[in-house]
Amino acid sequence: MESRSKDGKLSIVGMKLKELRNAHKKAKEKWLADKIKAVFLVGTGRTIDGGAGVLMMDEKTVRSDFQTWESGGVDALKQRL
């Protein structure tokens, strides 16, 4: 689902960004909205640590959320462990 730019940053394009925006608007739980925002920030050019800093989240959590999204999309993010 993702691609890498020349500088090695992760990026998400087109419809996937729109899907994330729509899912964020519909999210009723804060934890889910945060996961979606983390994926969105990293996918639009922030580094993992940069996205974590903006959201006041742990880098491991942001990395894990992005990997979860890569493997299963927004539906996978909705699964609470």
Side-chain angles (χ1 to χ4, degrees), residues 12 20-21 23-43 47-48 50-69 74 76-80:
I12 303 170
L20 287 167
R21 281 190 183 104
H24 183 261
K25 286 180 185 178
K26 293 177 183 178
K28 294 181 179 169
E29 298 91 356
K30 181 186 176 306
W31 62 267
L32 178 56
D34 285 348
K35 288 176 174 291
I36 294 167
K37 285 186 282 194
V39 171
F40 186 88
L41 285 172
V42 172
T47 60
I48 297 284
V54 167
L55 296 172
M56 295 184 279
M57 295 172 69
D58 184 77
E59 289 178 34
K60 288 180 185 178
T61 301
V62 173
R63 183 174 290 104
S64 174
D65 289 342
F66 194 87
Q67 291 169 342
T68 298
W69 176 82
V74 173
L77 291 174
K78 293 177 182 179
Q79 304 302 314
R80 276 191 109 166

Side-chain angles (χ1 to χ4, degrees), residues 1 11-21 40 43-44:
M1 282 192 195
S11 65
I12 303 170
V13 293
M15 295 300 292
K16 295 299 177 184
L17 288 177
K18 186 174 181 178
E19 177 185 341
L20 287 167
R21 281 190 183 104
F40 186 88
T44 55

